[in-house]
Amino acid sequence: MANKLSDEEIAEMADDIDNLYGLHHAHRRTAGALETALLAVLDTLEDKFPGMREIVVADMREAAEKQRSFMRMQQETNPACDISEDDIEEELDTLEELIFKLERRMITE
């Protein structure tokens, strides 16, 4: 039979969960700020060097495909590796979303 946790252990777990929740929100805020900064930098580059956004998007797509290929190679060649197709897509989802935002800006301009 499992041992019951003491009130102190429960309070410690609650603090840990609260800290993780805070870290998660801090990470999301930081990622959002970095995304905003990247979009602003690319807008500035596009103003100075027309066509730059297309080059950056193409490079980002290439980087995403390389990462996807690498993860699939790991999946196939390393039996100890526990990477599923869902893991691969989840890993690249944020990058694909950013690429989509850049492409959408190209269409609206």
Side-chain angles (χ1 to χ4, degrees):
M1 196 168 192
N3 294 338
K4 284 192 169 191
L5 297 175
S6 70
D7 288 343
E8 184 178 303
E9 291 171 321
I10 292 171
E12 186 176 322
M13 286 176 61
D15 285 345
D16 290 345
I17 291 169
D18 191 45
N19 287 338
L20 288 173
Y21 188 71
L23 288 171
H24 170 71
H25 282 288
H27 174 70
R28 288 185 61 181
R29 285 190 304 272
T30 301
L34 288 171
E35 181 178 301
T36 300
L38 174 64
L39 294 172
V41 167
L42 288 176
D43 285 344
T44 301
L45 284 173
E46 183 67 23
D47 289 344
K48 292 188 183 273
F49 307 104
M52 183 60 69
R53 185 174 288 130
E54 288 87 354
I55 294 168
V56 170
V57 167
D59 288 349
M60 289 173 72
R61 283 227 171 273
E62 184 178 330
E65 286 308 312
K66 284 180 180 178
Q67 181 66 19
R68 184 176 281 114
S69 294
F70 174 75
M71 290 180 79
R72 285 197 175 124
M73 188 255 325
Q74 285 286 347
Q75 182 184 44
E76 294 169 4
T77 59
N78 185 357
C81 169
D82 190 23
I83 299 175
S84 69
E85 283 300 314
D86 287 342
D87 293 335
I88 293 171
E89 293 311 311
E90 187 177 322
E91 181 79 21
L92 294 170
D93 191 43
T94 304
L95 181 57
E96 293 287 342
E97 192 175 307
L98 183 57
I99 292 169
F100 176 73
K101 286 179 182 179
L102 290 169
E103 289 173 333
R104 190 172 51 204
R105 280 181 175 222
M106 290 183 330
I107 292 169
T108 57
E109 289 181 351

